């Protein structure tokens, strides 16, 4: 019994010592750590079997227990998690520090503005008490008079340098001073996750917007990107540097001629003749500022300028300051006078709204810079293995082709075709269109027909309408028309629309390709499924592929337009594929008190003769009754059709009929998704995002198609 007890005590003591050995600290050699790191790179959390296999395969780990290896991997994962958290916290801290600096500067500017307003208020109060009613204050007159610089200064380098220095001073007073009464952009609140701080002008000459933000790029790179306006400003048609020379202080002065697109077919496009000044301040900040020079005929090509209305850029630009921890703080100011007098009265909100300028130019510039910064750091991943620059180029080509179709400039060989005498649509023809991109080129023996129209929408949310058109293509589109355009681009073969031996299922598959960092724009591939009607073609794919860009589907965004632009493309999706874009654009019009539209004409296609009558801007509210709410927008659509010369008349007839059917479908959808069409209970406001609205729109379209089918049958 004594021997048994002694053996039991020795066994218990041995197991305890073994347990203590397993739990004690183990010091690993460099070779052991290297072997464990290799395994960790492949599998950060190996299973028990994998750890035992590791001990068998690595002799240098044979003296380490499996439990100790398990503890090593746990500690390694913990250290990796702490490292990532520390890096993230440091990044957030740098961003918060920069944002805090911006907010402090904004607070100082607002305090100066308050002091200035108090001083002006006291001065005006004193003037009202001591002066007569007819006295004119010269300071008020100067506040609304834009300085003009004659062309004599443009021929004198010393005069240009004087204008450049004056432009720099005025721009800095807007970017960091109180030269403009800035108010916060609606719906854009600053914070750690926001793109930046955005403001718009209040009661100043022209329209202006300002943005401040932190970007992880160096100032020279930011200036290089922003100066290339064609890459990020979607409305820029052409930017030509007329002349460039070095200023005496080390800066650069350029004379630019810029052409921009018109957003609709009802207004002329704009051009600008400007001076751009690039210099470095004493504190190391880089400045790019710009302003218009006087002279309506100035520019490198006066003949081309005759198609445009000359607009003015008041002192604007970019202030780029380097940050201590890397990156830059950028201030953007856009101040324009777009000449609203030259457009129909119903469209003047597009040219008199600072929110529109903010969305199109100021916010777009800052978003583009942040997009490039994230792509440079590898944070953005796109589909189909395409490089970000390639997908950005596709989006730019889609929008540019769509803008070219809407504007139809004569120097691009577009001309208006007097077809059936109707005024609801415009038919333009381009007989010299050649879609050549890289190695792929498609030359049309006849040319391109473009049928386009604009219509006014009342109480129709632009984002909801574009989202419905994107998700329910079969409700408004004829897939045989898409097949016709796709065949013409693919093989230069033409057939009359609707004659292809193909039956389409009506379903579409949306394949995302990429999106911007805030998801305000999406690029995607659309596949329209088709079935062959003949047994001989049973093994040939009849699917149609479209490259599509969709933007502005968030109806909470203020001032942004909504677009759906698409073009047939080969299923192989080559980088240099030719594109012939068509699509829709909805521009919201700012609600104005006193603007009341007749409900019966809310969806009427605008008369292209009477609507283009330009009246003085002073009669802004003439002919309208009072209204407490008016949410209006203008829809512009353009569809392009390739044709052979001997089929121009037939294609034109079909194209007009097709576009009119699309307009009818869009009108029915608009009435269905309008909040007023849902007939809610008294005091209950329906949600424009509700699925009932989309279901009702789908039901109306299906009912209409059924009625038309019965009508044609009998």
């Amino acid at each position: 019994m004594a021997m048994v007890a002694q053996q039991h005590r020795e066994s218990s003591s041995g197991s305890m010592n073994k347990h203590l050995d397993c739990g004690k600290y183990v010091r690993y050699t460099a070779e052991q750590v290297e072997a464990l790191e290799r395994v960790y790179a492949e599998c950060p959390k190996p299973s028990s079997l994998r750890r035992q296999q590791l001990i068998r395969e690595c002799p240098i780990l044979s003296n380490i227990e499996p439990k100790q290896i398990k503890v090593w991997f746990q500690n390694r994962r913990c250290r990796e998690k702490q490292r990532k958290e520390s890096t993230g916290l440091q990044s957030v801290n740098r961003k918060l520090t920069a944002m805090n600096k911006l907010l402090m500067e904004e607070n100082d500017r607002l305090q100066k503005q308050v002091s200035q307003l108090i001083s002006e208020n006291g001065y005006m109060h004193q003037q009202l008490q001591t002066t007569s009613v007819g006295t004119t204050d010269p300071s008020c007159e100067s506040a609304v008079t834009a300085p003009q610089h004659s062309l004599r200064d443009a021929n004198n380098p010393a005069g240009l340098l004087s204008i450049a220095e004056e432009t720099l001073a005025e721009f800095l007073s807007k970017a960091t001073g109180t030269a403009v009464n800035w108010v916060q952009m609606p719906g854009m609140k600053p914070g750690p996750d926001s793109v930046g701080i955005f403001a718009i002008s209040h009661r100043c000459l022209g329209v202006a917007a300002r943005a401040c933000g932190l970007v992880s790029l160096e100032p020279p790179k930011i200036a290089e990107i922003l100066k290339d306006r064609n890459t990020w400003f979607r409305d820029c048609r052409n930017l030509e540097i007329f002349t460039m020379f070095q200023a005496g202080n080390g800066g650069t002065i350029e004379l630019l001629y810029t052409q921009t697109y018109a957003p609709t077919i009802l207004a002329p496009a704009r051009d600008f003749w400007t001076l751009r000044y690039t210099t470095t301040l004493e504190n190391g900040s880089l400045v790019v500022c710009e302003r218009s020079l006087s002279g309506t005929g100035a520019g490198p090509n006066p003949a081309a300028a005759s198609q445009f209305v000359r607009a003015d850029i008041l002192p604007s630009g970019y202030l780029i300051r380097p940050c201590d921890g890397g990156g830059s703080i950028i201030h953007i100011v856009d101040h324009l006078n777009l000449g609203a007098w030259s457009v129909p009265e119903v469209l003047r909100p597009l040219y008199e709204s600072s929110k529109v300028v903010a969305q199109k130019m100021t916010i777009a510039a800052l978003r583009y810079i942040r997009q490039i910064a994230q792509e440079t750091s590898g944070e953005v991943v796109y589909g189909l293995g395409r490089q970000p620059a390639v997908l950005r180029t596709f989006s730019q080509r889609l929008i540019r082709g769509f803008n070219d179709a809407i504007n139809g400039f004569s120097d691009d060989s577009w001309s208006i075709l007097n077809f059936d005498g109707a005024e609801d649509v415009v038919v333009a023809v381009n007989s010299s269109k050649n879609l050549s991109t890289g190695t792929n080129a498609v030359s049309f023996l006849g040319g391109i027909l473009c049928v386009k129209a604009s219509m006014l929408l009342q109480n129709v949310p632009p984002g909801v309408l574009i989202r419905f058109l994107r998700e329910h293509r079969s409700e408004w589109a004829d897939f045989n028309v898409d097949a016709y355009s796709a065949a013409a681009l693919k093989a230069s073969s033409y057939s009359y629309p609707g004659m292809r031996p193909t039956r389409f299922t009506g379903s579409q598959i949306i394949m995302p390709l990429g999106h911007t960092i805030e998801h305000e724009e999406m690029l995607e591939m659309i596949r329209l499924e088709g079935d062959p009607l003949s047994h001989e073609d049973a093994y040939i794919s009849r699917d149609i592929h479209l490259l599509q860009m969709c933007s502005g589907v968030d109806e909470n965004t203020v001032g942004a337009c909504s677009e759906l632009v698409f073009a047939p493309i080969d299923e192989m999706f080559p980088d240099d594929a030719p594109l012939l874009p068509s699509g829709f654009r909805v521009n919201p019009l700012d609600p104005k008190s006193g603007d009341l539209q007749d409900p019966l004409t809310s969806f009427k296609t605008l008369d292209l003769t009477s609507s283009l009558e330009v009246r003085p801007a002073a009669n802004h509210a003439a002919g309208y009754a009072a209204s407490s709410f008016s949410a209006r927008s203008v829809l512009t659509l353009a569809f392009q059709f390739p044709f052979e010369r001997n089929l121009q008349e037939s294609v034109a007839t079909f194209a007009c009929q097709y576009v009119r059917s699309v307009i009818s479908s869009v009108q029915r959808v608009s009435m269905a998704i309008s909040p007023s069409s849902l007939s809610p209970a008294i005091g209950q406001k329906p949600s424009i995002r509700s699925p009932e609205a989309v279901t009702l729109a789908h039901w109306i379209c299906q009912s209409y198609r059924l009625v038309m089918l019965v009508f044609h049958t009998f």
Side-chain angles (χ1 to χ4, degrees):
M1 291 294 293
M3 292 180 61
V4 172
Q6 183 178 1
Q7 291 177 359
H8 178 72
R9 286 194 300 269
E10 291 177 355
S11 176
S12 300
S13 176
S15 62
M16 290 177 64
N17 293 333
K18 184 178 180 181
H19 177 73
L20 292 174
D21 291 341
C22 293
K24 70 179 182 179
Y25 177 77
V26 177
R27 185 178 297 276
Y28 297 91
T29 64
E31 293 79 6
Q32 291 173 335
V33 172
E34 182 180 357
L36 292 173
E37 287 287 353
R38 285 197 301 266
V39 177
Y40 181 83
E42 299 175 358
C43 180
K45 193 174 182 180
S47 62
S48 176
L49 294 178
R50 180 70 180 91
R51 293 193 299 270
Q52 294 177 3
Q53 180 184 2
L54 175 63
I55 295 175
R56 291 193 300 269
E57 294 177 353
C58 297
I60 58 176
L61 300 176
S62 59
N63 61 335
I64 302 178
E65 296 291 335
K67 185 177 181 180
Q68 292 294 341
I69 294 181
K70 178 181 179 181
V71 172
W72 185 93
F73 277 96
Q74 290 176 347
N75 295 336
R76 183 64 177 83
R77 290 194 300 270
C78 184
R79 290 196 302 270
E80 180 70 17
K81 182 179 179 181
Q82 291 175 349
R83 186 189 64 81
K84 291 182 178 179
E85 291 178 351
S86 176
T87 303
L89 289 175
Q90 291 176 2
S91 176
V92 172
N93 183 58
R94 287 195 300 268
K95 187 173 182 179
L96 288 175
T97 302
M99 292 294 295
N100 181 61
K101 185 177 181 180
L102 285 176
L103 291 174
M104 291 176 63
E105 293 177 353
E106 182 71 6
N107 183 54
D108 293 340
R109 187 194 64 81
L110 290 175
Q111 289 181 357
K112 293 178 182 178
Q113 184 174 350
V114 169
S115 300
Q116 181 180 350
L117 291 174
I118 292 175
S119 177
E120 292 178 357
N121 183 52
Y123 174 77
M124 292 299 296
H125 182 70
Q126 182 181 1
Q127 288 294 103
L128 289 175
Q129 292 179 348
T130 59
T131 61
S132 60
V133 178
T135 303
T136 302
D137 185 7
S139 63
C140 296
E141 183 179 354
S142 63
V144 296
T145 304
Q148 295 293 328
H149 302 280
S150 65
L151 291 178
R152 290 183 292 113
D153 295 330
N155 298 323
N156 183 3
L160 287 177
L161 180 58
S162 175
I163 297 174
E165 293 293 344
E166 181 183 342
T167 303
L168 174 62
E170 293 188 30
F171 160 67
L172 292 177
S173 67
K174 296 176 183 179
T176 60
T178 59
V180 174
N181 182 18
W182 299 110
V183 296
Q184 182 176 305
M185 176 77 176
M188 307 290 287
K189 294 183 179 180
D193 298 327
S194 64
V195 179
I197 303 173
F198 304 101
I200 56 177
S201 60
H202 178 63
R203 294 180 180 177
C204 77
L205 175 67
V207 288
R210 190 189 65 164
C212 309
L214 176 66
V215 181
S216 58
L217 293 175
E218 297 305 315
K221 181 63 175 180
I222 296 176
E224 176 188 353
I225 295 173
L226 292 177
K227 290 173 73 172
D228 189 8
R229 197 171 292 160
N230 282 318
T231 59
W232 60 267
F233 184 32
R234 296 297 176 84
D235 286 350
C236 182
R237 183 193 183 217
N238 183 40
L239 188 149
E240 184 175 352
I241 301 177
F242 186 56
T243 184
M244 178 179 65
F245 61 90
Q246 298 295 324
N249 58 355
T252 303
I253 295 179
E254 302 165 293
L255 297 184
L256 309 178
Y257 176 65
T258 307
Q259 296 176 345
T260 60
Y261 292 104
T264 72
I265 66 175
L266 302 178
R270 264 56 180 164
D271 67 348
F272 303 89
W273 173 239
T274 59
L275 177 146
R276 185 167 68 187
Y277 181 39
T278 305
T279 187
T280 303
L281 303 180
E282 294 180 355
N283 60 1
S285 299
L286 184 61
V287 177
V288 181
C289 55
E290 186 175 0
R291 84 174 316 149
S292 286
L293 299 172
S294 63
T296 56
N301 191 351
S306 62
Q307 304 178 73
F308 298 83
V309 171
R310 180 59 51 86
D312 293 325
I313 295 181
L314 306 180
S316 307
Y318 318 109
L319 170 61
I320 312 169
R321 299 185 299 181
C323 293
D324 296 335
S328 307
I329 295 177
I330 179 172
H331 297 254
I332 303 176
V333 173
D334 292 304
H335 194 175
L336 309 175
N337 186 356
L338 297 174
W341 56 268
S342 63
V343 301
E345 190 172 358
V346 69
L347 296 180
R348 284 178 185 167
L350 294 178
Y351 298 82
E352 296 175 337
S353 172
S354 296
K355 294 187 286 291
V356 174
V357 173
Q359 290 289 353
K360 282 189 174 183
M361 297 185 66
T362 317
I363 299 177
L366 188 54
R367 282 174 172 166
Y368 186 80
I369 291 294
R370 287 172 55 88
Q371 183 80 22
I372 297 296
Q374 290 202 5
E375 291 174 358
T376 304
S377 63
E379 299 178 24
V380 181
V381 180
Y382 289 97
L384 299 184
R386 298 304 175 103
Q387 294 296 324
V390 175
L391 297 181
R392 279 202 314 273
T393 302
F394 272 119
S395 296
Q396 293 165 1
R397 290 175 55 199
L398 282 174
I399 294 298
R400 186 174 183 86
F402 185 58
N403 280 325
D404 284 333
I406 290 176
N407 287 261
F409 294 111
S410 59
D411 56 352
D412 286 338
S413 302
W414 286 100
S415 60
I416 300 299
L417 181 65
N418 295 323
F419 182 60
D420 55 4
E423 297 177 343
D424 57 339
V425 296
V426 174
V427 183
V429 62
N430 191 328
S431 300
S432 61
K433 189 76 171 181
N434 181 20
L435 300 181
S436 59
T437 312
T439 57
N440 288 330
V442 180
S443 295
F444 300 108
L445 298 178
I448 300 295
L449 271 171
C450 179
V451 183
K452 47 193 174 181
S454 289
M455 53 190 292
L456 187 67
L457 305 178
Q458 186 79 21
N459 294 337
V460 178
V464 177
L465 176 60
I466 291 298
R467 188 162 65 243
F468 181 91
L469 297 177
R470 169 181 174 264
E471 297 174 355
H472 302 275
R473 185 180 184 88
S474 61
E475 304 297 344
W476 57 269
D478 187 341
F479 290 176
N480 288 289
V481 178
D482 297 321
Y484 165 77
S485 299
L489 289 174
K490 187 174 182 179
S492 296
S493 60
Y494 297 83
S495 60
Y496 192 76
M499 299 301 293
R500 284 173 57 87
T502 305
R503 178 180 64 248
F504 292 96
T505 62
S507 62
Q508 65 173 0
I509 299 176
I510 301 178
M511 297 172 284
L513 296 177
H515 56 78
T516 52
I517 55 177
E518 293 188 337
H519 295 260
E520 72 276 359
E521 181 179 303
M522 300 173 289
L523 184 68
E524 50 202 14
M525 178 83 79
I526 308 299
R527 190 178 76 190
L528 309 178
E529 296 181 332
D531 299 327
L533 297 179
S534 58
H535 296 287
E536 293 80 5
D537 297 335
Y539 298 100
I540 301 177
S541 174
R542 293 297 185 182
D543 295 346
I544 303 171
H545 294 81
L546 303 175
L547 184 66
Q548 181 169 278
M549 192 281 299
C550 181
S551 65
V553 294
D554 183 7
E555 62 270 18
N556 294 322
T557 305
V558 179
C561 72
S562 302
E563 293 177 309
L564 182 69
V565 183
F566 50 87
I569 194 171
D570 187 83
E571 61 181 341
M572 300 304 294
F573 192 26
D575 294 348
D576 55 354
L579 300 177
L580 194 63
S582 303
F584 307 87
R585 172 182 293 155
V586 186
N587 290 98
L589 302 174
D590 278 346
K592 289 181 176 289
S593 59
D595 288 0
L596 178 62
Q597 292 291 325
D598 184 358
L600 297 178
T601 62
S602 296
F603 307 105
K604 180 180 179 181
T605 304
L606 296 181
D607 190 308
L608 299 181
T609 56
S610 62
S611 295
L612 290 177
E613 178 183 356
V614 178
R615 286 174 284 178
N619 298 330
H620 211 59
Y624 293 99
S627 175
S628 59
F629 176 77
S630 175
R632 301 180 303 167
S633 56
V634 57
L635 167 67
T636 300
L637 66 160
F639 286 76
Q640 299 190 72
F641 304 86
F643 68 91
E644 288 184 341
R645 185 170 291 108
N646 59 338
L647 294 177
Q648 175 177 336
E649 186 174 352
S650 300
V651 174
T653 301
F654 166 78
C656 289
Q657 294 175 352
Y658 176 66
V659 171
R660 287 180 179 126
S661 69
V662 172
I663 292 174
S664 299
S665 300
V666 172
Q667 289 176 343
R668 292 191 302 273
V669 171
S670 300
M671 288 186 291
I673 66 177
S674 176
S676 59
S677 66
L678 298 180
S679 301
I682 297 177
Q684 180 182 358
K685 183 177 180 180
S687 172
I688 58 177
R689 307 181 190 89
S690 62
E692 291 79 4
V694 176
T695 304
L696 180 59
H698 181 82
W699 178 82
I700 289 178
C701 292
Q702 293 289 358
S703 301
Y704 177 81
R705 291 182 173 225
L706 180 60
V707 171
M708 294 303 296
L709 178 62
V710 174
F711 175 78
H712 288 295
T713 302
F714 290 97

